[in-house]
Amino acid sequence: MMRARLSAALAVFAIMTAPAMASTARRLPAVLAVGADYGLTVMNGASVPAHRFALFILSAEGYRTLAKHGFAARALPQ
């Protein structure tokens, strides 16, 4: 339990300090650089607001919002 709390606290600290540390960050060699691919699924029986939220994310405005926060899209919606 204590280890989980410490890990959560360190994760929050890392998130909070990441922008401040950006100017001192070093780029990793391409072979070591990792990224993340995110998917989007709306489950059967999901609420109407869940469907609307998914559609917003997939909209041009949703992509602009994600891009503003550092997420890159492989293909923008038409």
Side-chain angles (χ1 to χ4, degrees):
M1 183 70 132
M2 182 65 149
R3 181 172 280 170
R5 287 185 187 162
L6 179 58
S7 294
L10 290 174
V12 169
F13 175 77
I15 291 168
M16 291 172 52
T17 58
M21 296 174 66
S23 62
T24 60
R26 303 273 189 248
R27 287 221 177 261
L28 289 173
V31 70
L32 297 177
V34 296
D37 291 330
Y38 298 97
L40 174 65
T41 300
V42 179
M43 298 179 68
N44 288 336
S47 66
V48 171
H51 284 272
R52 287 184 182 154
F53 180 66
L55 290 173
F56 169 75
I57 290 173
L58 297 172
S59 72
E61 182 182 355
Y63 273 58
R64 282 192 300 273
T65 301
L66 291 171
K68 186 172 88 173
H69 294 283
F71 292 90
R74 293 183 188 213
L76 294 174
Q78 301 300 319

Coordinates of all heavy atoms in Angstrom, one line a residue:
M1 N 0.8 -1.2 0.0 CA 0.0 0.0 0.0 C 0.9 1.3 0.0 O 0.6 2.2 -0.7 CB -0.9 0.0 1.2 CG -1.9 1.1 1.2 SD -3.1 1.0 -0.1 CE -4.5 1.3 0.8
M2 N 1.9 1.3 0.8 CA 2.8 2.4 0.9 C 3.5 2.6 -0.4 O 3.7 3.7 -0.9 CB 3.8 2.2 2.1 CG 4.7 3.4 2.2 SD 3.8 4.8 2.7 CE 4.9 5.6 3.7
R3 N 3.9 1.5 -1.0 CA 4.7 1.6 -2.3 C 3.7 2.2 -3.4 O 4.1 3.0 -4.2 CB 5.2 0.3 -2.7 CG 5.9 0.3 -4.1 CD 6.6 -1.0 -4.4 NE 7.8 -1.1 -3.6 CZ 8.5 -2.1 -3.4 NH1 8.2 -3.2 -4.0 NH2 9.6 -2.1 -2.7
A4 N 2.5 1.8 -3.4 CA 1.5 2.3 -4.4 C 1.3 3.8 -4.2 O 1.2 4.6 -5.1 CB 0.2 1.6 -4.3
R5 N 1.2 4.3 -2.9 CA 1.0 5.7 -2.7 C 2.2 6.5 -3.1 O 2.1 7.6 -3.7 CB 0.8 5.9 -1.2 CG -0.6 5.5 -0.7 CD -0.8 5.9 0.7 NE -2.1 5.3 1.2 CZ -2.4 5.1 2.4 NH1 -1.6 5.5 3.4 NH2 -3.6 4.6 2.7
L6 N 3.4 5.9 -2.8 CA 4.6 6.6 -3.2 C 4.7 6.7 -4.8 O 5.1 7.7 -5.3 CB 5.9 5.9 -2.7 CG 7.2 6.5 -3.0 CD1 7.3 7.9 -2.5 CD2 8.3 5.6 -2.5
S7 N 4.4 5.6 -5.4 CA 4.4 5.6 -6.9 C 3.4 6.7 -7.5 O 3.7 7.4 -8.4 CB 4.0 4.3 -7.5 OG 5.0 3.3 -7.1
A8 N 2.2 6.7 -6.9 CA 1.2 7.7 -7.3 C 1.7 9.1 -7.1 O 1.6 10.0 -7.9 CB -0.1 7.5 -6.6
A9 N 2.3 9.4 -5.9 CA 2.9 10.7 -5.6 C 4.0 11.1 -6.6 O 4.0 12.2 -7.0 CB 3.4 10.7 -4.2
L10 N 4.9 10.1 -6.9 CA 5.9 10.4 -7.8 C 5.4 10.7 -9.2 O 5.9 11.6 -9.9 CB 6.9 9.3 -7.9 CG 7.8 9.1 -6.6 CD1 8.6 7.9 -6.7 CD2 8.7 10.3 -6.3
A11 N 4.4 10.0 -9.6 CA 3.8 10.2 -10.9 C 3.2 11.6 -11.0 O 3.3 12.3 -12.0 CB 2.7 9.2 -11.2
V12 N 2.5 12.0 -9.9 CA 1.9 13.4 -9.9 C 3.0 14.4 -9.9 O 2.9 15.4 -10.7 CB 1.0 13.5 -8.7 CG1 0.6 15.0 -8.5 CG2 -0.3 12.7 -8.8
F13 N 4.0 14.2 -9.2 CA 5.2 15.1 -9.2 C 5.8 15.2 -10.6 O 6.1 16.3 -11.0 CB 6.2 14.7 -8.2 CG 7.5 15.5 -8.2 CD1 7.5 16.8 -7.6 CD2 8.6 15.1 -8.8 CE1 8.6 17.6 -7.6 CE2 9.7 15.9 -8.9 CZ 9.7 17.1 -8.3
A14 N 5.9 14.1 -11.2 CA 6.5 14.1 -12.6 C 5.6 14.9 -13.5 O 6.1 15.7 -14.4 CB 6.7 12.7 -13.1
I15 N 4.3 14.7 -13.4 CA 3.4 15.4 -14.3 C 3.5 16.9 -14.0 O 3.5 17.8 -14.9 CB 2.0 14.9 -14.2 CG1 1.9 13.5 -14.7 CG2 1.0 15.8 -14.8 CD1 0.7 12.7 -14.4
M16 N 3.5 17.3 -12.8 CA 3.5 18.7 -12.4 C 4.8 19.4 -12.8 O 4.8 20.6 -13.1 CB 3.3 18.9 -10.9 CG 1.9 18.5 -10.5 SD 1.6 18.4 -8.7 CE 2.2 20.0 -8.1
T17 N 5.9 18.7 -12.7 CA 7.2 19.3 -13.0 C 7.7 19.2 -14.4 O 8.6 19.9 -14.9 CB 8.3 18.7 -12.1 OG1 8.4 17.3 -12.3 CG2 8.0 19.0 -10.6
A18 N 7.0 18.3 -15.2 CA 7.4 18.1 -16.6 C 7.5 19.4 -17.4 O 8.5 19.6 -18.1 CB 6.5 17.1 -17.3
P19 N 6.5 20.3 -17.4 CA 6.6 21.5 -18.2 C 7.8 22.4 -17.7 O 8.5 23.0 -18.5 CB 5.3 22.2 -17.9 CG 4.4 21.2 -17.6 CD 5.2 20.1 -16.8
A20 N 8.1 22.4 -16.4 CA 9.2 23.2 -15.9 C 10.5 22.7 -16.3 O 11.5 23.4 -16.5 CB 9.1 23.3 -14.4
M21 N 10.6 21.4 -16.5 CA 11.8 20.7 -16.9 C 12.1 20.6 -18.4 O 13.1 20.2 -18.8 CB 11.9 19.3 -16.2 CG 11.9 19.3 -14.7 SD 11.7 17.7 -14.0 CE 13.3 17.0 -14.5
A22 N 11.1 21.0 -19.2 CA 11.2 20.9 -20.6 C 12.4 21.5 -21.2 O 13.0 21.0 -22.2 CB 9.9 21.4 -21.3
S23 N 12.8 22.7 -20.6 CA 13.9 23.4 -21.2 C 15.3 22.6 -21.0 O 16.2 22.9 -21.7 CB 14.0 24.8 -20.6 OG 14.3 24.7 -19.3
T24 N 15.3 21.7 -20.0 CA 16.5 21.0 -19.8 C 16.4 19.6 -20.3 O 17.4 18.8 -20.1 CB 16.8 21.0 -18.3 OG1 15.8 20.3 -17.6 CG2 17.0 22.4 -17.7
A25 N 15.3 19.2 -20.9 CA 15.2 17.8 -21.4 C 16.1 17.5 -22.5 O 16.5 18.4 -23.3 CB 13.7 17.6 -21.8
R26 N 16.5 16.3 -22.6 CA 17.4 15.9 -23.7 C 16.6 14.9 -24.6 O 15.8 14.1 -24.1 CB 18.6 15.1 -23.1 CG 19.4 15.9 -22.2 CD 20.4 16.8 -22.9 NE 21.3 17.4 -22.0 CZ 21.4 18.7 -21.8 NH1 20.5 19.5 -22.5 NH2 22.2 19.2 -21.0
R27 N 16.8 14.9 -25.8 CA 16.2 14.0 -26.8 C 16.9 12.6 -26.7 O 18.1 12.6 -26.7 CB 16.2 14.5 -28.2 CG 15.3 15.6 -28.4 CD 14.7 15.4 -29.8 NE 13.7 16.4 -30.1 CZ 12.4 16.2 -29.9 NH1 12.0 15.1 -29.5 NH2 11.6 17.2 -30.2
L28 N 16.1 11.6 -26.6 CA 16.6 10.2 -26.7 C 17.0 9.8 -28.1 O 16.3 10.3 -29.0 CB 15.6 9.2 -26.2 CG 15.3 9.3 -24.7 CD1 14.1 8.3 -24.3 CD2 16.5 8.9 -23.9
P29 N 17.9 9.0 -28.3 CA 18.2 8.4 -29.6 C 16.9 7.8 -30.1 O 16.1 7.2 -29.3 CB 19.3 7.4 -29.4 CG 19.9 7.7 -28.1 CD 18.8 8.4 -27.3
A30 N 16.7 7.8 -31.4 CA 15.4 7.3 -32.0 C 15.2 5.8 -31.6 O 14.0 5.4 -31.3 CB 15.5 7.4 -33.5
V31 N 16.2 5.0 -31.4 CA 16.0 3.6 -31.1 C 15.5 3.5 -29.7 O 14.9 2.5 -29.3 CB 17.4 2.9 -31.2 CG1 18.4 3.3 -30.2 CG2 17.1 1.4 -31.2
L32 N 15.7 4.5 -28.8 CA 15.2 4.4 -27.4 C 13.9 5.2 -27.2 O 13.3 5.0 -26.2 CB 16.3 5.0 -26.5 CG 17.6 4.2 -26.4 CD1 18.6 4.9 -25.5 CD2 17.4 2.7 -26.0
A33 N 13.6 6.0 -28.1 CA 12.4 6.9 -28.0 C 11.1 6.0 -28.1 O 11.0 5.2 -29.0 CB 12.3 8.0 -29.0
V34 N 10.2 6.1 -27.2 CA 9.0 5.4 -27.3 C 7.8 6.3 -27.3 O 7.9 7.5 -26.8 CB 8.8 4.4 -26.1 CG1 9.9 3.3 -26.1 CG2 8.8 5.2 -24.8
G35 N 6.7 5.9 -27.8 CA 5.5 6.7 -27.8 C 4.3 5.9 -27.4 O 4.5 4.7 -27.0
A36 N 3.2 6.4 -27.5 CA 2.0 5.7 -27.2 C 1.0 5.9 -28.3 O 0.8 6.9 -28.8 CB 1.4 6.2 -25.8
D37 N 0.3 4.8 -28.6 CA -0.9 4.9 -29.5 C -2.1 4.7 -28.6 O -2.2 3.8 -27.8 CB -0.8 3.7 -30.5 CG 0.3 3.9 -31.5 OD1 0.7 5.1 -31.8 OD2 0.8 2.9 -32.0
Y38 N -3.1 5.6 -28.8 CA -4.3 5.6 -28.1 C -5.5 5.2 -29.0 O -5.5 5.7 -30.1 CB -4.6 6.9 -27.4 CG -3.5 7.4 -26.5 CD1 -2.5 8.2 -26.8 CD2 -3.6 6.9 -25.2 CE1 -1.5 8.6 -25.9 CE2 -2.6 7.3 -24.3 CZ -1.6 8.1 -24.6 OH -0.6 8.5 -23.8
G39 N -6.3 4.4 -28.5 CA -7.5 4.0 -29.3 C -8.7 4.6 -28.6 O -8.7 5.2 -27.5
L40 N -9.9 4.5 -29.3 CA -11.1 5.0 -28.8 C -12.2 3.9 -29.0 O -12.3 3.5 -30.2 CB -11.5 6.3 -29.5 CG -12.9 6.9 -29.1 CD1 -12.9 7.3 -27.7 CD2 -13.2 8.0 -30.0
T41 N -12.9 3.5 -28.0 CA -13.9 2.5 -28.1 C -15.1 3.0 -27.3 O -15.0 3.5 -26.2 CB -13.5 1.2 -27.5 OG1 -12.3 0.7 -28.2 CG2 -14.6 0.1 -27.6
V42 N -16.3 2.9 -27.9 CA -17.5 3.1 -27.2 C -18.2 1.8 -27.0 O -18.5 1.1 -28.0 CB -18.5 4.1 -28.0 CG1 -19.8 4.3 -27.2 CG2 -17.8 5.4 -28.2
M43 N -18.4 1.4 -25.8 CA -18.9 0.0 -25.5 C -20.4 -0.1 -25.8 O -21.1 0.9 -25.7 CB -18.6 -0.3 -24.0 CG -17.1 -0.3 -23.7 SD -16.8 -0.7 -22.0 CE -17.3 -2.4 -21.9
N44 N -20.8 -1.3 -26.1 CA -22.2 -1.6 -26.3 C -23.0 -1.1 -25.0 O -22.5 -1.4 -23.9 CB -22.5 -3.0 -26.5 CG -22.0 -3.5 -27.9 OD1 -21.9 -2.7 -28.8 ND2 -21.7 -4.8 -28.0
G45 N -24.1 -0.5 -25.2 CA -24.9 0.0 -24.0 C -24.4 1.2 -23.4 O -24.9 1.6 -22.3
A46 N -23.4 1.9 -24.0 CA -22.9 3.1 -23.4 C -24.0 4.2 -23.5 O -24.8 4.2 -24.4 CB -21.6 3.6 -24.2
S47 N -23.8 5.2 -22.7 CA -24.8 6.3 -22.6 C -24.7 7.2 -23.8 O -23.7 7.2 -24.5 CB -24.6 7.1 -21.3 OG -23.4 7.8 -21.4
V48 N -25.7 8.0 -24.0 CA -25.7 9.0 -25.1 C -24.6 10.0 -24.9 O -23.8 10.3 -25.9 CB -27.1 9.7 -25.3 CG1 -27.0 10.9 -26.2 CG2 -28.1 8.7 -25.7
P49 N -24.3 10.5 -23.7 CA -23.2 11.4 -23.5 C -21.8 10.7 -23.9 O -20.9 11.4 -24.4 CB -23.2 11.8 -22.0 CG -24.7 11.6 -21.7 CD -25.2 10.5 -22.5
A50 N -21.7 9.4 -23.6 CA -20.4 8.7 -24.0 C -20.3 8.7 -25.5 O -19.2 9.0 -26.0 CB -20.5 7.3 -23.4
H51 N -21.3 8.5 -26.2 CA -21.3 8.5 -27.7 C -21.0 9.9 -28.2 O -20.1 10.1 -29.1 CB -22.6 8.1 -28.3 CG -22.8 6.6 -28.3 ND1 -22.3 5.7 -29.2 CD2 -23.3 5.8 -27.3 CE1 -22.6 4.5 -28.9 NE2 -23.2 4.5 -27.7
R52 N -21.6 10.9 -27.6 CA -21.3 12.3 -28.0 C -19.9 12.7 -27.7 O -19.2 13.4 -28.5 CB -22.3 13.3 -27.3 CG -23.7 13.2 -27.8 CD -24.5 14.2 -27.1 NE -25.9 14.1 -27.6 CZ -27.0 14.4 -26.9 NH1 -26.8 15.0 -25.7 NH2 -28.2 14.3 -27.4
F53 N -19.3 12.3 -26.6 CA -18.0 12.6 -26.2 C -17.0 11.9 -27.3 O -16.1 12.6 -27.7 CB -17.6 12.1 -24.8 CG -16.2 12.4 -24.4 CD1 -15.8 13.7 -24.2 CD2 -15.3 11.3 -24.2 CE1 -14.5 13.9 -23.9 CE2 -14.0 11.6 -23.8 CZ -13.6 12.9 -23.6
A54 N -17.3 10.7 -27.6 CA -16.4 10.0 -28.6 C -16.5 10.8 -30.0 O -15.5 11.0 -30.6 CB -16.9 8.6 -28.8
L55 N -17.7 11.2 -30.4 CA -17.8 12.0 -31.6 C -17.1 13.3 -31.5 O -16.5 13.8 -32.5 CB -19.3 12.2 -32.0 CG -20.0 10.9 -32.4 CD1 -21.5 11.2 -32.6 CD2 -19.4 10.3 -33.7
F56 N -17.1 13.9 -30.4 CA -16.4 15.2 -30.2 C -14.9 14.9 -30.4 O -14.2 15.7 -31.1 CB -16.6 15.8 -28.8 CG -15.7 17.0 -28.6 CD1 -15.9 18.2 -29.2 CD2 -14.6 16.8 -27.7 CE1 -15.0 19.2 -29.0 CE2 -13.7 17.8 -27.5 CZ -13.9 19.1 -28.1
I57 N -14.4 13.9 -29.7 CA -12.9 13.6 -29.8 C -12.5 13.4 -31.3 O -11.5 13.8 -31.7 CB -12.6 12.4 -29.0 CG1 -12.7 12.7 -27.5 CG2 -11.2 11.9 -29.3 CD1 -12.5 11.6 -26.6
L58 N -13.4 12.8 -32.1 CA -13.1 12.5 -33.5 C -13.4 13.7 -34.4 O -13.1 13.6 -35.6 CB -13.9 11.3 -33.9 CG -13.5 10.0 -33.2 CD1 -14.5 8.9 -33.6 CD2 -12.1 9.6 -33.5
S59 N -13.9 14.7 -33.9 CA -14.2 15.9 -34.7 C -13.0 16.8 -34.9 O -12.0 16.6 -34.2 CB -15.3 16.8 -34.0 OG -14.8 17.4 -32.9
A60 N -13.1 17.7 -35.9 CA -11.9 18.6 -36.1 C -11.6 19.4 -34.8 O -10.5 19.6 -34.5 CB -12.2 19.5 -37.3
E61 N -12.7 19.9 -34.1 CA -12.4 20.6 -32.9 C -11.8 19.8 -31.8 O -10.9 20.2 -31.1 CB -13.8 21.2 -32.4 CG -13.6 22.0 -31.1 CD -14.9 22.5 -30.6 OE1 -16.0 22.3 -31.2 OE2 -14.9 23.1 -29.5
G62 N -12.2 18.5 -31.7 CA -11.6 17.6 -30.8 C -10.1 17.4 -31.1 O -9.3 17.4 -30.2
Y63 N -9.8 17.2 -32.4 CA -8.4 17.0 -32.7 C -7.6 18.3 -32.4 O -6.4 18.2 -32.0 CB -8.3 16.7 -34.2 CG -8.4 15.2 -34.5 CD1 -9.5 14.5 -34.1 CD2 -7.4 14.5 -35.2 CE1 -9.6 13.1 -34.4 CE2 -7.4 13.2 -35.4 CZ -8.6 12.5 -35.0 OH -8.6 11.1 -35.3
R64 N -8.1 19.4 -32.7 CA -7.4 20.7 -32.4 C -7.2 20.8 -30.9 O -6.1 21.2 -30.4 CB -8.2 21.9 -32.8 CG -8.1 22.2 -34.3 CD -8.7 23.5 -34.7 NE -10.1 23.7 -34.4 CZ -11.1 23.3 -35.1 NH1 -10.9 22.8 -36.3 NH2 -12.4 23.5 -34.8
T65 N -8.2 20.4 -30.1 CA -8.0 20.4 -28.6 C -6.9 19.5 -28.2 O -6.1 19.8 -27.3 CB -9.3 20.1 -27.9 OG1 -10.3 21.0 -28.3 CG2 -9.2 20.1 -26.4
L66 N -6.9 18.3 -28.7 CA -5.8 17.3 -28.4 C -4.5 17.8 -28.8 O -3.5 17.7 -28.1 CB -6.1 16.0 -29.0 CG -7.3 15.2 -28.4 CD1 -7.7 14.0 -29.3 CD2 -7.1 14.8 -27.0
A67 N -4.4 18.4 -30.0 CA -3.1 18.9 -30.5 C -2.6 20.1 -29.6 O -1.4 20.2 -29.3 CB -3.3 19.4 -31.9
K68 N -3.5 20.9 -29.1 CA -3.2 22.0 -28.2 C -2.5 21.5 -26.9 O -1.7 22.1 -26.3 CB -4.4 22.8 -27.9 CG -4.1 24.1 -27.1 CD -5.4 24.9 -27.0 CE -6.2 24.4 -25.7 NZ -7.3 25.3 -25.4
H69 N -2.8 20.2 -26.6 CA -2.3 19.6 -25.4 C -1.2 18.6 -25.6 O -0.9 17.8 -24.8 CB -3.4 19.0 -24.5 CG -4.4 20.0 -24.0 ND1 -4.1 20.8 -22.9 CD2 -5.6 20.5 -24.4 CE1 -5.1 21.7 -22.7 NE2 -6.0 21.5 -23.6
G70 N -0.6 18.7 -26.8 CA 0.6 17.9 -27.1 C 0.3 16.5 -27.8 O 1.3 15.8 -28.0
F71 N -0.9 16.2 -28.1 CA -1.2 15.0 -28.8 C -1.2 15.2 -30.3 O -1.7 16.1 -30.8 CB -2.5 14.4 -28.4 CG -2.6 14.0 -26.9 CD1 -3.0 14.9 -26.0 CD2 -2.2 12.7 -26.6 CE1 -3.0 14.5 -24.6 CE2 -2.3 12.3 -25.3 CZ -2.7 13.2 -24.3
A72 N -0.5 14.3 -31.0 CA -0.4 14.4 -32.5 C -1.3 13.3 -33.1 O -1.4 12.2 -32.6 CB 1.0 14.1 -32.9
A73 N -2.1 13.7 -34.1 CA -3.0 12.8 -34.8 C -2.3 12.3 -36.1 O -1.7 13.1 -36.8 CB -4.3 13.4 -35.1
R74 N -2.5 11.1 -36.4 CA -1.9 10.6 -37.7 C -2.7 11.1 -38.9 O -2.2 11.3 -39.9 CB -1.9 9.0 -37.7 CG -0.9 8.5 -36.7 CD -0.8 7.0 -36.7 NE 0.0 6.6 -35.6 CZ 0.8 5.6 -35.6 NH1 0.9 4.9 -36.6 NH2 1.5 5.3 -34.5
A75 N -4.0 11.2 -38.7 CA -4.8 11.7 -39.8 C -6.0 12.5 -39.2 O -6.6 12.1 -38.2 CB -5.4 10.5 -40.6
L76 N -6.2 13.7 -39.7 CA -7.2 14.6 -39.2 C -8.5 14.2 -39.8 O -8.6 13.8 -41.0 CB -6.9 16.0 -39.4 CG -5.7 16.6 -38.7 CD1 -5.4 18.0 -39.2 CD2 -6.0 16.6 -37.2
P77 N -9.6 14.3 -39.1 CA -10.9 14.0 -39.7 C -11.3 15.0 -40.8 O -10.9 16.1 -40.7 CB -11.9 14.0 -38.5 CG -11.3 14.9 -37.5 CD -9.8 14.7 -37.7
Q78 N -12.0 14.5 -41.8 CA -12.4 15.4 -42.9 C -13.8 16.0 -42.6 O -14.6 15.5 -42.0 CB -12.4 14.6 -44.2 CG -11.1 14.0 -44.5 CD -10.0 15.1 -44.7 OE1 -10.2 16.1 -45.2 NE2 -8.8 14.8 -44.1

